[in-house]
């Protein structure tokens, strides 16, 4: 019986895993400098945590959630995103008594999307959230952190930051009504998918990549014409602060993001490629969400990034080969040799053994794996309690003691 992996899932190993760990380390170090605390939450939650906050008409809730009935008849969902679980955890653990609080998380998310390059059904996200302030510096702080993160992974010519403001919640609601009216006039010219969104989620038609929709959206009413003075002021502040911090951005009036909870600043970092899955980081402000989830009426802002998409863009990292390969010429020297291998490892020297007991095979193995040194153990070595130590690149060798090997390799 050969079991296949589940469609849209993937295993991470080898050099990809090195890159994955590198990215995790990089972001953990940045989180430390920017003073965020990590939180790890369960991968499954009550389905209600996602339904309303993300939007009953959002693609994620309509089509993509992995939800199931538990044995006690409650409904559970494998988390499709991390913002709502983080807020849920902050509320459950009383973390919102002193605000603001800055949290980050790393872990798998689950969405039943059509799998393709850069789009998986289980993928890994990095999430940052600032809960408890609507200061425009918190928007720019979290965007700047994302910008720094990306610049340390890929060169800055490879991505662009797009920002927009959706204004207040009631501005968005007004805008939705205006947009619905506008798109209704072009009902039959829109793509099938957008037609189904006119009444429920007209904002999403704006960021459709279907050429028919793009043409019609061009002349659609603009949300900026509905901003309140306060929204306008906030957005100007965010832009000014980004300028001061020398974070380059472009305004994208059609940027709306896919989930219901966003308001005011929204942003996306996109790779400058033609690939369809090119959003590397997406986020925005979500005032009102914490209250909706049963917490205090306090604002928040955050972003999420898919590690797999970053891995496609980043440079490969090569394995560090072992420092020394121990070659045992015959099984009868095994007991003598394993003690040497153990001693080398106890001295933190990366040591490998290939279980071949064959000089020729092991030597070619060592050079194929770019291992610089080998230690050879045969009858003479066994009798004299010394080892043949060889530097492969130079072909030089000497017969020396364990202490001498350790001294040479520790340098
Ligand atoms: P979203 O919550 O949809 O804005 O997603 C935030 C980020 O997560 C995106 O910018 C991607 O980097 C990543 N992402 C979202 N969906 C997927 C997916 N199906 N596979 C891989 N990465 C994803």
């Amino acid at each position: 019986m050969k079991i296949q992996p589940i469609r849209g899932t993937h295993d991470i190993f080898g050099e990809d895993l090195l890159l994955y760990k590198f990215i995790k380390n990089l972001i953990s170090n940045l989180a430390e400098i920017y003073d965020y605390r990590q939180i790890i939450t369960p991968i499954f939650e009550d389905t209600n945590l996602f339904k309303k906050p993300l939007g009953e008409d959002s693609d994620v809730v309509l089509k993509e959630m992995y939800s199931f009935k538990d044995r006690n008849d409650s409904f559970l969902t494998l988390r499709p995103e991390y913002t709502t679980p983080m807020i849920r955890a902050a509320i459950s653990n009383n973390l919102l008594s002193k605000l603001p609080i800055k949290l980050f998380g790393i872990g798998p998310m689950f969405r039943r999307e059509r799998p393709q390059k850069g789009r998986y059904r289980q993928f890994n996200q990095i999430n940052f959230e600032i809960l408890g302030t609507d200061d425009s510096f918190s928007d720019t702080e979290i965007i700047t952190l994302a910008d720094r993160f990306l610049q340390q992974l890929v060169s800055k010519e490879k991505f662009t930051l797009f920002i927009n403001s959706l204004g207040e919640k009631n501005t968005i609601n007004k805008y939705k009504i205006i947009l619905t009216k506008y798109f209704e006039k072009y009902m039959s010219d829109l793509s099938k998918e957008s037609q189904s969104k006119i009444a429920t989620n007209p904002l999403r038609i704006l960021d459709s990549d279907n050429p028919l929709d793009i043409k019609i959206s061009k002349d659609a009413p603009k949300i900026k014409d509905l901003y309140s003075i306060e929204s306008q002021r906030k957005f100007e502040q965010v832009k000014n602060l980004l300028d001061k911090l020398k974070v380059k951005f472009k305004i994208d009036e059609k940027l709306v993001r896919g989930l219901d909870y966003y308001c005011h600043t929204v942003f996306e970092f996109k790779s400058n490629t033609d690939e369809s899955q090119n959003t590397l980081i997406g986020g925005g402000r979500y005032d009102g969400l914490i209250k909706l989830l049963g917490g205090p009426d306090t604002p928040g802002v955050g972003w999420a990034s898919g590690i797999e998409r970053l891995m496609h863009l980043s440079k490969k990292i090569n394995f560090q080969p072992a420092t020394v390969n121990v070659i045992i010429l015959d099984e009868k020297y095994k007991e003598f040799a394993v003690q040497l291998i153990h001693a080398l490892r106890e001295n933190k020297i990366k040591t490998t053994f290939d279980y071949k007991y064959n000089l020729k095979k092991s030597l070619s193995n060592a050079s194929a794996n770019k291992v610089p040194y080998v230690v050879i153990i045969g009858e003479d070595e066994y009798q004299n309690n010394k080892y043949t130590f060889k530097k492969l690149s130079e072909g030089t060798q000497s017969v020396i003691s364990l202490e001498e090997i350790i001294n040479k390799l520790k340098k």
Side-chain angles (χ1 to χ4, degrees):
M1 184 174 63
K2 191 175 168 205
I3 311 272
Q4 298 296 333
I6 294 171
R7 202 165 123 75
T9 65
H10 63 290
D11 306 304
I12 307 177
F13 58 93
E15 287 169 351
D16 278 349
L17 186 64
L18 295 183
L19 191 51
Y20 178 87
K21 290 205 280 194
F22 173 79
I23 292 172
K24 271 178 89 165
N25 276 343
L26 182 64
I27 201 62
S28 303
N29 289 339
L30 273 172
E32 184 69 25
I33 293 166
Y34 280 74
D35 195 23
Y36 285 76
R37 304 280 154 87
Q38 188 168 3
I39 185 159
I40 299 174
T41 71
I43 59 167
F44 59 131
E45 298 271 0
D46 186 325
T47 300
N48 288 320
L49 178 63
F50 307 110
K51 259 189 163 166
K52 195 157 174 230
L54 271 55
E56 307 257 3
D57 298 310
S58 64
D59 284 349
V60 174
V61 173
L62 279 179
K63 304 185 272 197
E64 297 168 4
M65 291 203 310
Y66 282 97
S67 299
F68 57 97
K69 201 164 157 190
D70 199 3
R71 285 164 195 246
N72 64 358
D73 287 348
S74 57
F75 283 94
L76 305 179
T77 294
L78 299 184
R79 62 183 181 200
E81 63 106 48
Y82 217 166
T83 302
T84 45
M86 276 202 203
I87 295 175
R88 198 273 309 137
I91 296 169
S92 311
N93 297 289
N94 260 330
L95 304 181
L96 299 178
S97 52
K98 268 197 212 141
L99 293 172
I101 172 168
K102 291 160 62 177
L103 298 173
F104 85 102
I106 303 175
M109 305 296 144
F110 305 84
R111 291 185 195 172
R112 203 178 193 290
E113 298 192 83
R114 194 167 53 80
Q116 53 183 278
K117 192 177 169 208
R119 197 199 253 173
Y120 304 96
R121 289 183 170 175
Q122 175 173 339
F123 57 99
N124 292 282
Q125 259 191 2
I126 296 169
N127 269 69
F128 278 79
E129 318 289 345
I130 305 180
L131 310 179
T133 175
D134 66 354
D135 190 319
S136 51
F137 182 43
S138 64
D139 304 44
T140 48
E141 182 196 320
I142 213 159
I143 293 174
T144 309
L145 164 63
D147 182 64
R148 283 292 159 271
F149 172 49
L150 281 186
Q151 284 201 34
Q152 289 186 32
L153 269 181
V154 290
S155 61
K156 60 179 176 214
E157 303 79 46
K158 288 205 172 150
F159 64 87
T160 307
L161 163 63
F162 296 93
I163 64 169
N164 191 19
S165 169
L166 299 178
E168 281 127 21
K169 269 264 143 10
N170 60 355
T171 310
I172 301 169
N173 292 338
K174 255 193 249 162
Y175 186 52
K176 277 186 182 167
I177 296 169
I178 294 172
L179 267 189
T180 300
K181 279 199 187 128
Y182 173 81
F183 285 126
E184 268 168 359
K185 288 194 288 186
Y186 302 96
M187 178 76 139
S188 51
D189 299 326
L190 288 167
S191 69
K192 274 247 145 45
E193 213 181 328
S194 290
Q195 286 180 11
S196 69
K197 288 182 176 150
I198 292 183
T200 52
N201 204 355
L203 286 181
R204 285 325 301 264
I205 304 177
L206 293 178
D207 66 1
S208 155
D209 46 21
N210 182 303
L212 297 172
D213 302 336
I214 293 175
K215 208 166 145 214
I216 295 167
S217 293
K218 240 189 193 142
D219 296 323
K222 303 223 154 50
I223 197 163
K224 67 175 181 188
D225 296 329
L226 305 178
Y227 291 161
S228 65
I229 293 173
E230 180 57 13
S231 293
Q232 180 73 42
R233 192 187 64 85
K234 278 190 171 171
F235 195 33
E236 289 308 316
Q237 272 198 1
V238 170
K239 289 187 282 183
N240 282 338
L241 289 175
L242 286 175
D243 278 338
K244 290 275 171 311
L245 293 168
K246 299 199 168 44
V247 176
K248 288 213 169 67
F249 62 87
K250 287 188 176 158
I251 306 284
D252 178 358
E253 287 171 353
K254 297 211 165 69
L255 178 61
V256 291
R257 310 276 305 128
L259 307 175
D260 257 20
Y261 53 60
Y262 288 111
C263 58
H264 294 294
T265 318
V266 285
F267 55 92
E268 280 182 354
F269 287 84
K270 292 189 172 179
S271 65
N272 298 334
T273 59
D274 295 334
E275 286 174 10
S276 53
Q277 305 307 318
N278 67 346
T279 307
L280 302 172
I281 296 182
R285 179 158 281 291
Y286 45 78
D287 305 350
L289 178 61
I290 301 172
K291 184 167 178 233
L292 180 67
L293 295 174
D297 188 5
T298 192
V301 63
W303 57 252
S305 178
I307 299 183
E308 284 79 359
R309 289 201 195 159
L310 300 173
M311 284 166 62
H312 287 316
L313 272 193
S314 323
K315 273 197 237 96
K316 286 257 167 293
I317 297 179
N318 294 325
F319 266 110
Q320 190 65 36
T323 309
V324 59
N325 193 346
V326 176
I327 302 174
I328 307 177
L329 298 187
D330 192 287
E331 287 217 38
K332 58 181 183 236
Y333 313 121
K334 191 189 305 194
E335 268 181 35
F336 172 65
V338 293
Q339 294 174 62
L340 166 89
I341 293 174
H342 185 65
L344 291 171
R345 288 174 177 161
E346 287 289 287
N347 277 280
K348 300 196 170 59
I349 295 165
K350 186 166 175 178
T351 305
T352 190
F353 175 62
D354 60 14
Y355 307 98
K356 293 206 183 320
Y357 304 98
N358 179 308
L359 182 64
K360 213 167 150 216
K361 282 188 187 160
S362 293
L363 279 176
S364 76
N365 235 359
S367 56
N369 292 323
K370 300 197 171 59
V371 179
Y373 299 96
V374 294
V375 170
I376 302 167
I377 299 170
E379 184 62 25
D380 286 352
E381 288 82 0
Y382 174 64
Q383 293 299 338
N384 301 323
N385 199 17
K386 292 227 169 166
Y387 309 89
T388 298
F389 179 74
K390 185 169 175 147
K391 185 170 184 182
L392 287 181
S393 59
E394 293 170 3
T396 49
Q397 68 178 57
S398 50
V399 177
I400 56 178
S401 69
L402 169 63
E403 287 68 34
E404 285 169 299
I405 295 178
I406 291 171
N407 277 340
K408 279 183 190 286
L409 295 183
K410 274 197 141 178
K411 263 184 218 152

